[in-house]
Each structure stands twice: as structure tokens, then as C-alpha cells.
Amino acid sequence: MAAGLLAGVLGLTLSGCAGFLVPAGEGEPEPTPSRSYGVHADKLPTPFPSVSAPVLPDRPPAAQGPAPTPTVPAGCPSSGLVVDMGEVEAALGHRAVGLTLTNCGSKPYRVHGYPSVRALDEAGDPLPVPVNPGSSYMGSDRGPQEVMLKPGKTMRSLLAWVSTPTGGDLIEGDALEIAPAPGLEARTFPLKGSDVRLLDELNMTAWRADSGQ
């Protein structure tokens, strides 16, 4: 989905999970925890018309221009959502890296689910590396948390894999492609160092809000 999909769905790629739309407004059913990922702009109510003084015949109303278009800060995707990846940490052949989802736009988004992740080869083509939502040796998955992500706020996820030959069949990856959801703008992060490029499968936790958010 592109910017228009922001009223739609965030979900996983390569995880077998389809996204779903979380409706806004009162009377909606409580969301059922799932491996889906939904994200869309919160619909703001149409403001009531203001009451103005009558226009006198000898003072015609001034021409009104078009309403200003909300702007997105420089470096922020048109979707208003941006992902980032931290440094890869190692422990006993296991690897883990923190992911962040930040609302860099001007509207709130309802987030519920997991990131979208793919492993890429040196040519930028997808590799057959399974991507699974859930816990790993490096971190416990507490499941999705539905959050109204306000401008400037951030959510986090943990991505983990095994990089030791004893872990099973491994594939050497050159980079990770990460997006908030399928169809939204993704970023590519190179995997530096032979000790982190070997991948068995990718396991990730759900997006969770920082404390106090």
C-alpha cells in the first residue's frame, strides 16, 4: 500500500499473515490479537462551521485560497512512517537487532502487529529465508499492542536469527529490507561482517510502544 494504504493494513511479508483494517470510532469491536499488522491515519472529525458576521454590501468578502496542505518533514517518507535498524548484537551464535517505527509525519496512526522484513542477496533480490513472528533466544514476544502512534512517537521490535553452522541450513544474506507494512516504503540495511550475514530464519517480536507512550 502507498500513502493511500495508510487507511489500510500493516502486516507481515513472508510470514503468511494478511493485514486487516482496524475501524475507527465508537462501538467498534475490540481487536483480536493476531499476526496481522494494521496501520492507518486516524480520521479526524469534520469541524463545525464557524459563525461569521454578515457581509456588508460595500465590503465584499475577500477571496479565499485553497486550504493549506499538510507538509511532511524533510527526510520523512510520504507515508509519515519511517523504520530504522540499530547495531547487530551477538550472543552464543545468536544475533539480534533492534528495529524502530517512528511517526515522523503530522497525523496519528493506529498500529497493531509486526514489521515487514525480507533478507536480500548482493543483487538486492529476496532470499528464501523464513520470517516468523514470535519469541527467540534473544527476546520474548508479548504479542501485538494496539497503539495510536502520535507524531514524534516511536514503537520497537526485536529481530533475531542464528549465525552459527550448528544452527542448521544457513543462507548468506547481504542486507535486510524492512518496512512498517507491505506496500509502505521500505529501507535497506546492509549486513556488515561475515559473522552476522549467515541466516537460518528471522524471528521478530511485535511492535510495542516505549514506556509512557
Side-chain angles (χ1 to χ4, degrees), residues 66-162:
T69 302
T71 58
V72 175
C76 180
S78 59
S79 66
L81 296 170
V82 63
V83 291
D84 203 357
M85 186 177 91
E87 295 293 328
V88 178
E89 303 291 339
L92 301 175
H94 295 265
R95 306 289 181 258
V97 63
L99 308 180
T100 59
L101 171 63
T102 302
N103 183 348
C104 58
S106 58
K107 297 182 294 185
Y109 289 86
R110 185 169 296 167
V111 179
H112 182 260
Y114 295 80
S116 172
V117 181
R118 297 195 302 179
L120 307 177
D121 63 16
E122 60 183 358
D125 296 322
L127 291 169
V129 176
V131 181
N132 307 312
S135 302
S136 67
Y137 176 84
M138 300 293 280
S140 177
D141 180 28
R142 294 179 292 160
Q145 175 190 39
E146 184 172 317
V147 170
M148 188 65 71
L149 190 63
K150 298 179 181 179
K153 297 298 184 178
T154 297
M155 300 184 76
R156 301 186 184 278
S157 172
L158 184 71
L159 183 67
W161 64 94
V162 173

Side-chain angles (χ1 to χ4, degrees), residues 165-191:
T166 61
D169 296 332
L170 302 180
I171 297 177
E172 186 171 4
D174 188 71
L176 295 176
E177 181 187 82
I178 304 170
L184 293 185
E185 184 172 339
R187 297 183 65 189
T188 300
F189 301 91
L191 290 174

